[in-house]
Amino acid sequence: QKEVEQDPGPLSVPEGAIVSLNCTYSNSAFQYFMWYRQYSRKGPELLMYTYSSGNKEDGRFTAQVDKSSKYISLFIRDSQPSDSATYLCAIGGNNRLAFGKGNQVVVIP
Amino acid sequence: DTAVSQTPKYLVTQMGNDKSIKCEQNLGHDTMYWYKQDSKKFLKIMFSYNNKELIINETVPNRFSPKSPDKAHLNLHINSLELGDSAVYFCASSPTRGSNSEQFFGPGTRLTVL
């Protein structure tokens, strides 16, 4: 079983829709939960970071963690064309990050 | 500009050649990493150095050899390149070695092996 599973299927949504992305992880020793955003031909950059179960909001973005189910989610409200990117979940533990495969999101104007 | 920089940005080479990719960070971070991202966007850790000391060495062929001359630089040398080495290689750095530490990525080096 991979450490982090993220369904890599591309996602196309109309502008203004809610985008929902999620990952599962296998190792309960992982304690830190992040979402990175990667624009085409660029390096990933940190979007959201949390270490506890529950929700964390930052503007139009909400990160949700359920440690009991080993499940994390990212929601993007009122999606914009500028949100078109690949979103990678990252789970931290044992001095390293394990990344999911990434979801390519396309927001259509 | 404060950042993580990598050279070259693009590298096209023949199978069997030896090549190097350089990485520099001027963020004052202690820890640096090399990642490989395949065509399906899967980002996989290869190596990590903390203050010039190797701390993570994932299952990577020994044709890949990282070198950290100082804590601001982490270079990657690849011997006897193979077709399967074609990928984008990202260098990253973080303030500390802890997994709670944000990692800052360079722009990537797109390696194509013909």
Side-chain angles (χ1 to χ4, degrees), chain B residues 58-76:
Chain B
E58 292 292 303
T59 308
V60 175
N62 57 14
R63 299 181 294 104
F64 290 78
S65 51
K67 280 194 173 49
S68 182
D70 56 61
K71 77 171 193 177
H73 295 85
L74 180 61
N75 304 322
L76 183 65

Side-chain angles (χ1 to χ4, degrees), chain B residues 4 6 10 14 22-23 37-38 51 58 78 91 109 112:
Chain B
V4 180
Q6 294 178 230
Y10 299 95
Q14 300 285 337
K22 295 187 176 186
C23 178
Q37 188 172 47
D38 61 25
N51 278 322
E58 292 292 303
I78 316 169
C91 177
T109 295
T112 303

Side-chain angles (χ1 to χ4, degrees), chain A residues 2 4 8 32 34 36 38-46 49 86 88 92-102, chain B residues 9-10 33 35 37 40-45 48 55-56 58 90 97-108 110:
Chain A
K2 283 204 166 69
V4 182
Y32 307 104
M34 305 176 193
Y36 278 77
Q38 185 176 18
Y39 289 114
S40 181
R41 307 247 165 192
K42 302 281 188 189
E45 55 183 359
L46 184 67
Y49 164 52
T86 297
L88 302 111
N94 299 326
N95 290 322
R96 63 186 184 83
L97 290 182
F99 283 85
K101 285 191 173 183
Chain B
K9 198 165 182 182
Y10 299 95
Y33 311 81
Y35 286 88
Q37 188 172 47
K40 296 182 179 176
K41 297 284 193 180
F42 185 44
L43 195 63
K44 191 165 163 50
I45 181 80
S48 173
I55 56 170
I56 293 173
E58 292 292 303
F90 285 100
R97 61 186 286 176
S99 40
N100 60 338
S101 192
E102 177 182 355
Q103 294 186 18
F104 294 77
F105 285 79
R110 189 170 293 269

Side-chain angles (χ1 to χ4, degrees), chain A residues 7-9 13 15 18-19 22-23 25 40 54 71 74 95 97 107:
Chain A
D7 182 354
V13 300
E15 184 174 353
I18 294 175
V19 175
N22 53 71
C23 290
Y25 62 97
S40 181
Y71 190 89
L74 177 71
N95 290 322
L97 290 182
V107 180

Side-chain angles (χ1 to χ4, degrees), chain B residues 1-6 23-32 70-74 91-94 104:
Chain B
D1 284 344
T2 53
V4 180
S5 58
Q6 294 178 230
C23 178
E24 177 181 1
Q25 56 94 4
N26 59 5
L27 298 164
H29 290 169
D30 285 345
T31 310
M32 296 184 73
D70 56 61
K71 77 171 193 177
H73 295 85
L74 180 61
C91 177
S93 71
S94 62
F104 294 77

